[in-house]
Amino acid sequence: MTAATATTDLADAYSGYLDHLADADEYAATDLAIGLLDAGVPAERVLLDLVAPAQAEVGERWARNEWSVAQEHAATHISEQVVAAVSAHVKARPTGGRVVVACMDGEWHALPPRLVAEVLRLRGWQVTFLGASVPAAHLVSYLHRYDAHAVALACALPMRLPYAHRMIEACRRSDVPVVVGGRGFGTDGRWARRLGVAWAPDAPSAAELIADERALRGAPPARLAHLADDEYASLVRRRGELIDSALAELRERVPAARAYTAAQLDATVSDLGHIVDFLAAAVYVDDPSLFTEFVEWLSGILGSRGVPAGAIVLPLEHYAAALRDFPRAARALALGCAALPATAR
């Protein structure tokens, strides 16, 4: 790759970068990124126009069952090493205050917030990146020890929203303004608005928000008055019972389920739990679209692996019968069933 092509054709670089990820070639991927920097491509573009979209494609290849979990993890590790190499090559020096970047407790998708952290660093902030799954108490303790200008929190999965809200409120009690991002808050940030927190769709927007403290602190209050009726808390208390009874009915009605291997059984229990967790999150923010979007996503994931969409109907119907006295949950379940293909129902 020559300097001329590097500066003008990130599309070619992107294709080559994906090939290096597919080949698990960390050294070639790193050399490509550093070559772009040496050719004059700004580091922010390398991070946001090369590494970020490549990581999104990695996730899509896993979702389409084209790549295994092992391949996805290997590619993610390589991109993490590339981000570190870009950061070391640029050696940005801080001129602004401290910004703490972290994943929500239970959130393990650390590369997107790492990209945000590096963009903030490039723009002059002193950044502390705490990584994946940071417990709220540990984050608050860190904020008490260091004088942070702001906290940037990432959430990739909407089922973590109740925990995200508690983490956001814990930061606010420390008088540190918060900005959030990630698909877990909705592609348009609607669940961030429901939680009453500033939301950024991408790293540059997060940097602009953090630079404007008035805007950062100016988010409208949370709209969660419906939680007073205790439906969410009651649903969460019944989680284990719901999973156990759904699994028992599955074994009764689908004879093949009785012969599942340990791995198949673990995957089934995990899916049953995810259905309850996404349902609970939909109840928490009072938005059934959170659940229907998950059902559509799960249907696609299972379909790519040869599992018919009809396999989702049985647990949805089971949960609907068990939760008939839970109005918001019942509505979300009904809409979730309706979102499946007619042949599945």
Side-chain angles (χ1 to χ4, degrees):
M1 179 182 297
T2 66
T5 59
T7 56
T8 60
D9 202 346
L10 265 174
D12 283 349
Y14 172 75
S15 177
Y17 186 78
L18 277 177
D19 289 341
H20 297 326
L21 295 184
D23 294 338
D25 192 337
E26 175 182 331
Y27 301 103
T30 303
D31 287 346
L32 188 154
I34 299 304
L36 289 169
L37 296 176
D38 290 342
V41 179
E44 188 168 314
R45 284 194 63 204
V46 173
L47 295 175
L48 300 183
D49 297 339
L50 179 72
V51 179
Q55 184 62 21
E57 175 60 22
V58 167
E60 288 300 316
R61 291 183 181 187
W62 170 82
R64 295 192 299 263
N65 202 30
E66 296 171 7
W67 279 15
S68 68
V69 170
Q71 287 173 297
E72 184 268 332
H73 283 190
T76 299
H77 168 75
I78 291 170
S79 283
E80 288 171 343
Q81 296 300 103
V82 168
V83 172
V86 169
S87 177
H89 193 79
V90 175
K91 297 178 182 178
R93 299 300 180 192
T95 57
R98 183 185 300 274
V99 178
V100 177
V101 181
C103 292
M104 303 291 180
D105 193 2
E107 176 59 68
W108 297 97
H109 297 82
L111 182 55
R114 173 71 186 278
L115 291 169
V116 172
E118 294 308 324
V119 168
L120 291 172
R121 202 186 313 275
L122 289 169
R123 296 195 179 196
W125 295 100
Q126 182 178 353
V127 179
T128 301
F129 179 60
L130 300 183
S133 190
V134 180
H138 292 213
L139 176 60
V140 169
S141 176
Y142 190 90
L143 295 177
H144 284 163
R145 183 172 181 178
Y146 297 97
D147 183 22
H149 172 83
V151 177
L153 298 176
C155 179
L157 299 175
M159 71 177 183
R160 308 302 304 174
L161 285 173
Y163 304 93
H165 187 220
R166 289 195 282 275
M167 204 162 181
I168 291 162
E169 292 304 309
C171 292
R172 284 175 168 165
R173 286 192 292 272
S174 299
D175 196 33
V176 180
V178 181
V179 59
V180 299
R183 289 178 296 176
F185 292 99
T187 55
D188 58 357
R190 60 189 182 277
W191 299 317
R193 291 190 291 275
R194 181 57 61 97
L195 299 182
V197 63
W199 169 79
D202 50 39
S205 300
E208 291 168 9
L209 257 178
I210 288 170
D212 186 350
E213 187 171 354
R214 183 175 179 182
L216 195 58
R217 293 182 181 271
R223 295 178 286 125
L224 298 170
H226 59 278
L227 293 178
D229 66 12
D230 210 37
E231 180 174 338
Y232 166 77
S234 298
L235 174 55
V236 171
R237 284 194 294 269
R238 293 186 60 181
R239 182 182 189 275
E241 167 200 333
L242 289 165
I243 295 171
D244 288 345
S245 61
L247 182 61
E249 183 175 359
L250 178 67
R251 284 173 158 168
E252 179 181 341
R253 295 179 57 180
V254 182
R258 302 170 198 163
Y260 276 0
T261 64
Q264 289 173 317
L265 183 60
D266 285 346
T268 301
V269 170
S270 177
D271 288 341
L272 293 173
H274 280 144
I275 292 172
V276 175
D277 293 338
F278 274 87
L279 179 63
V283 170
Y284 194 90
V285 297
D286 194 21
D287 186 352
S289 72
L290 186 156
F291 186 69
T292 57
E293 289 176 11
F294 162 71
V295 169
E296 292 168 346
W297 175 85
L298 181 61
S299 174
I301 293 293
L302 294 178
S304 71
R305 288 150 176 81
V307 180
I312 308 173
V313 174
L314 181 58
L316 294 186
E317 291 178 341
H318 177 86
Y319 290 149
L323 298 170
R324 57 185 174 275
D325 294 328
F326 290 60
R328 278 191 294 279
R331 179 168 177 255
L333 285 161
L335 291 171
C337 281
L340 292 169
T343 52
R345 306 193 299 273

